[in-house]
Amino acid sequence: GAGVSQSPSNKVTEKGKDVELRCDPISGHTALYWYRQRLGQGLEFLIYFQGNSAPDKSGLPSDRFSAERTGESVSTLTIQRTQQEDSAVYLCASSLSGGGQETQYFGPGTRLLVL
Amino acid sequence: AQSVTQLDSQVPVFEEAPVELRCNYSSSVSVYLFWYVQYPNQGLQLLLKYLSGSTLVKGINGFEAEFNKSQTSFHLRKPSVHISDTAEYFCAVSGGNTGFQKLVFGTGTRLLVSP
């Protein structure tokens, strides 16, 4: 596609419910990243996928957070038993092959509100 | 751990005036440096990046930044701003002890350009 797309654009859920956030990277990009942006804070790295390598999960804040990626395409970020502190904008990015010098292209984000 | 400091949360400026947005990072080893911009209701897009070589980097929309290793800074400048430059600007770094794949972001600086 033309750019990174994410869905839904907005999600309101009740505390304790599970949510799934979807990311479609740019076609041909083998690297995919998830970040979280809480109000008044910078973006925090969550997880990184590169091709068929094991993902770098070092940024996931708790075991309630998990992510999957099918091949080199769509990724899903799942938050189980959501808490109010999970409210944030979740951003997905992709890059060509994951090299540090590459530009990461960001999607518009999913705004999650946990009531 | 790697960190990025953007001291100014908000910078108000009049149209056609010069502006400097400050960014300092913590690593003393090789890093890559980036400035991203987020226009209202849009995703992040890359303004410019420093990988190596010349310390003065030119980006899109007339912005430039200077890498200063001794001061661990990467300040963003524009000699004459436009109303359309109103946006949030994020400085980011990769490398050091967090690896080159992950971006570590500052908390952002909101640039407000008024007529």
Side-chain angles (χ1 to χ4, degrees), chain A residues 4 25-32 69 72-73 94-97 103 105:
Chain A
V4 178
I26 293 172
S27 178
H29 281 193
T30 63
L32 186 147
R69 187 180 186 194
E72 294 182 352
S73 60
S94 70
S95 70
L96 191 60
S97 59
T103 298
Y105 295 86

Side-chain angles (χ1 to χ4, degrees), chain A residues 33 35 37 40-45 48 56 58-59 91 98-108, chain B residues 32 34 36 38 41-46 49 51 88 90 94 98 100-108:
Chain A
Y33 314 76
Y35 294 88
Q37 185 179 19
Q41 300 185 24
L43 282 74
E44 304 169 67
F45 167 80
Y48 159 67
D56 178 349
S58 60
L91 292 160
Q101 72 278 20
E102 293 176 357
T103 298
Q104 293 185 22
Y105 295 86
F106 284 81
Chain B
Y32 297 146
F34 305 80
Y36 279 84
Q38 187 173 32
N41 301 314
Q42 295 186 31
L44 276 79
Q45 65 181 87
L46 183 73
K49 59 184 174 183
L51 304 179
E88 184 116 25
F90 293 93
S94 69
T98 55
F100 284 98
Q101 285 74 31
K102 306 168 196 175
L103 288 174
V104 175
F105 283 85
T107 52

Side-chain angles (χ1 to χ4, degrees), chain B residues 37-74:
Chain B
V37 60
Q38 187 173 32
Y39 296 106
N41 301 314
Q42 295 186 31
L44 276 79
Q45 65 181 87
L46 183 73
L47 267 181
L48 48 80
K49 59 184 174 183
Y50 171 80
L51 304 179
S52 66
S54 173
T55 57
L56 184 63
V57 180
K58 293 190 183 296
I60 61 171
N61 300 339
F63 283 93
E64 62 182 32
E66 185 148 23
F67 169 60
N68 187 319
K69 187 174 182 179
S70 62
Q71 296 187 8
T72 58
S73 69
F74 191 55

